[in-house]
mmCIF file of all heavy atoms in Angstrom:
data_model
loop_
_atom_site.group_PDB
_atom_site.id
_atom_site.type_symbol
_atom_site.label_atom_id
_atom_site.label_comp_id
_atom_site.label_asym_id
_atom_site.label_seq_id
_atom_site.Cartn_x
_atom_site.Cartn_y
_atom_site.Cartn_z
ATOM 1 N N SER A 172 5.298 -50.494 32.823
ATOM 2 C CA SER A 172 4.549 -49.843 33.895
ATOM 3 C C SER A 172 4.630 -48.316 33.790
ATOM 4 O O SER A 172 3.849 -47.607 34.410
ATOM 5 C CB SER A 172 5.041 -50.323 35.265
ATOM 6 O OG SER A 172 6.349 -49.857 35.492
ATOM 7 N N GLY A 173 5.549 -47.817 32.961
ATOM 8 C CA GLY A 173 5.652 -46.381 32.734
ATOM 9 C C GLY A 173 4.701 -45.852 31.662
ATOM 10 O O GLY A 173 4.675 -44.647 31.394
ATOM 11 N N LEU A 174 3.926 -46.756 31.040
ATOM 12 C CA LEU A 174 3.043 -46.345 29.946
ATOM 13 C C LEU A 174 1.688 -45.869 30.440
ATOM 14 O O LEU A 174 1.113 -46.422 31.373
ATOM 15 C CB LEU A 174 2.807 -47.521 28.982
ATOM 16 C CG LEU A 174 3.989 -47.986 28.126
ATOM 17 C CD1 LEU A 174 3.547 -49.155 27.245
ATOM 18 C CD2 LEU A 174 4.568 -46.863 27.276
ATOM 19 N N ARG A 175 1.163 -44.853 29.768
ATOM 20 C CA ARG A 175 -0.230 -44.437 29.936
ATOM 21 C C ARG A 175 -1.123 -45.435 29.212
ATOM 22 O O ARG A 175 -0.644 -46.238 28.416
ATOM 23 C CB ARG A 175 -0.416 -43.044 29.316
ATOM 24 C CG ARG A 175 0.247 -41.938 30.118
ATOM 25 C CD ARG A 175 0.004 -40.587 29.456
ATOM 26 N NE ARG A 175 0.640 -39.534 30.244
ATOM 27 C CZ ARG A 175 0.827 -38.283 29.819
ATOM 28 N NH1 ARG A 175 0.420 -37.927 28.604
ATOM 29 N NH2 ARG A 175 1.418 -37.388 30.589
ATOM 30 N N PRO A 176 -2.457 -45.356 29.455
ATOM 31 C CA PRO A 176 -3.368 -46.232 28.693
ATOM 32 C C PRO A 176 -3.144 -46.092 27.176
ATOM 33 O O PRO A 176 -2.962 -44.981 26.683
ATOM 34 C CB PRO A 176 -4.753 -45.712 29.108
ATOM 35 C CG PRO A 176 -4.542 -45.122 30.463
ATOM 36 C CD PRO A 176 -3.156 -44.532 30.439
ATOM 37 N N ASP A 177 -3.116 -47.223 26.479
ATOM 38 C CA ASP A 177 -2.862 -47.281 25.034
ATOM 39 C C ASP A 177 -1.457 -46.800 24.654
ATOM 40 O O ASP A 177 -1.181 -46.519 23.488
ATOM 41 C CB ASP A 177 -3.916 -46.499 24.232
ATOM 42 C CG ASP A 177 -5.305 -47.086 24.404
ATOM 43 O OD1 ASP A 177 -5.438 -48.324 24.293
ATOM 44 O OD2 ASP A 177 -6.252 -46.321 24.687
ATOM 45 N N GLY A 178 -0.577 -46.709 25.653
ATOM 46 C CA GLY A 178 0.805 -46.314 25.389
ATOM 47 C C GLY A 178 1.572 -47.395 24.646
ATOM 48 O O GLY A 178 1.118 -48.539 24.526
ATOM 49 N N LEU A 179 2.753 -47.020 24.159
ATOM 50 C CA LEU A 179 3.519 -47.886 23.263
ATOM 51 C C LEU A 179 5.002 -47.781 23.587
ATOM 52 O O LEU A 179 5.517 -46.687 23.839
ATOM 53 C CB LEU A 179 3.281 -47.386 21.831
ATOM 54 C CG LEU A 179 3.356 -48.339 20.657
ATOM 55 C CD1 LEU A 179 2.357 -49.481 20.810
ATOM 56 C CD2 LEU A 179 3.086 -47.570 19.359
ATOM 57 N N ILE A 180 5.667 -48.930 23.579
ATOM 58 C CA ILE A 180 7.138 -48.962 23.628
ATOM 59 C C ILE A 180 7.606 -49.246 22.212
ATOM 60 O O ILE A 180 7.100 -50.173 21.559
ATOM 61 C CB ILE A 180 7.634 -50.075 24.569
ATOM 62 C CG1 ILE A 180 7.171 -49.810 26.017
ATOM 63 C CG2 ILE A 180 9.147 -50.211 24.500
ATOM 64 C CD1 ILE A 180 7.299 -51.029 26.921
ATOM 65 N N VAL A 181 8.556 -48.467 21.717
ATOM 66 C CA VAL A 181 9.130 -48.745 20.402
ATOM 67 C C VAL A 181 10.625 -49.019 20.568
ATOM 68 O O VAL A 181 11.353 -48.219 21.147
ATOM 69 C CB VAL A 181 8.916 -47.579 19.410
ATOM 70 C CG1 VAL A 181 9.539 -47.929 18.052
ATOM 71 C CG2 VAL A 181 7.435 -47.261 19.253
ATOM 72 N N VAL A 182 11.049 -50.171 20.073
ATOM 73 C CA VAL A 182 12.470 -50.532 20.050
ATOM 74 C C VAL A 182 12.922 -50.512 18.591
ATOM 75 O O VAL A 182 12.326 -51.179 17.741
ATOM 76 C CB VAL A 182 12.700 -51.944 20.645
ATOM 77 C CG1 VAL A 182 14.146 -52.391 20.446
ATOM 78 C CG2 VAL A 182 12.327 -51.968 22.121
ATOM 79 N N LYS A 183 13.943 -49.714 18.299
ATOM 80 C CA LYS A 183 14.500 -49.674 16.939
ATOM 81 C C LYS A 183 15.988 -49.928 17.063
ATOM 82 O O LYS A 183 16.692 -49.178 17.744
ATOM 83 C CB LYS A 183 14.224 -48.321 16.270
ATOM 84 C CG LYS A 183 14.679 -48.264 14.803
ATOM 85 C CD LYS A 183 14.185 -47.003 14.104
ATOM 86 C CE LYS A 183 14.532 -47.016 12.613
ATOM 87 N NZ LYS A 183 14.014 -45.831 11.886
ATOM 88 N N ASP A 184 16.467 -50.999 16.443
ATOM 89 C CA ASP A 184 17.868 -51.348 16.662
ATOM 90 C C ASP A 184 18.417 -52.264 15.583
ATOM 91 O O ASP A 184 17.682 -52.819 14.760
ATOM 92 C CB ASP A 184 18.055 -52.004 18.037
ATOM 93 C CG ASP A 184 19.336 -51.510 18.725
ATOM 94 O OD1 ASP A 184 20.416 -51.590 18.101
ATOM 95 O OD2 ASP A 184 19.239 -51.020 19.862
ATOM 96 N N ASN A 185 19.737 -52.421 15.642
ATOM 97 C CA ASN A 185 20.446 -53.339 14.767
ATOM 98 C C ASN A 185 20.013 -54.765 15.072
ATOM 99 O O ASN A 185 19.764 -55.113 16.230
ATOM 100 C CB ASN A 185 21.955 -53.256 15.004
ATOM 101 C CG ASN A 185 22.511 -51.870 14.761
ATOM 102 O OD1 ASN A 185 21.915 -51.087 14.030
ATOM 103 N ND2 ASN A 185 23.640 -51.564 15.369
ATOM 104 N N VAL A 186 19.952 -55.579 14.025
ATOM 105 C CA VAL A 186 19.586 -56.980 14.167
ATOM 106 C C VAL A 186 20.653 -57.827 13.481
ATOM 107 O O VAL A 186 20.996 -57.586 12.326
ATOM 108 C CB VAL A 186 18.184 -57.216 13.549
ATOM 109 C CG1 VAL A 186 17.910 -58.690 13.370
ATOM 110 C CG2 VAL A 186 17.109 -56.566 14.407
ATOM 111 N N ALA A 187 21.182 -58.795 14.225
ATOM 112 C CA ALA A 187 22.192 -59.691 13.668
ATOM 113 C C ALA A 187 21.515 -60.753 12.806
ATOM 114 O O ALA A 187 20.325 -61.037 12.976
ATOM 115 C CB ALA A 187 22.977 -60.362 14.799
ATOM 116 N N TYR A 188 22.272 -61.347 11.902
ATOM 117 C CA TYR A 188 21.712 -62.403 11.059
ATOM 118 C C TYR A 188 21.426 -63.643 11.887
ATOM 119 O O TYR A 188 20.380 -64.265 11.764
ATOM 120 C CB TYR A 188 22.667 -62.720 9.907
ATOM 121 C CG TYR A 188 22.145 -63.811 9.005
ATOM 122 C CD1 TYR A 188 20.992 -63.619 8.243
ATOM 123 C CD2 TYR A 188 22.789 -65.044 8.931
ATOM 124 C CE1 TYR A 188 20.495 -64.623 7.432
ATOM 125 C CE2 TYR A 188 22.306 -66.065 8.118
ATOM 126 C CZ TYR A 188 21.158 -65.840 7.373
ATOM 127 O OH TYR A 188 20.652 -66.849 6.577
ATOM 128 N N GLU A 189 22.365 -63.990 12.771
ATOM 129 C CA GLU A 189 22.145 -65.162 13.628
ATOM 130 C C GLU A 189 22.960 -65.044 14.902
ATOM 131 O O GLU A 189 24.149 -64.732 14.867
ATOM 132 C CB GLU A 189 22.539 -66.440 12.887
ATOM 133 C CG GLU A 189 22.015 -67.684 13.560
ATOM 134 C CD GLU A 189 22.402 -68.969 12.807
ATOM 135 O OE1 GLU A 189 23.037 -68.871 11.756
ATOM 136 O OE2 GLU A 189 22.045 -70.046 13.304
#
Side-chain angles (χ1 to χ4, degrees):
S172 68
L174 291 180
R175 289 181 180 167
D177 297 313
L179 209 58
I180 297 165
V181 180
V182 172
K183 185 171 185 177
D184 221 307
N185 301 337
V186 166
Y188 180 65
E189 195 179 358

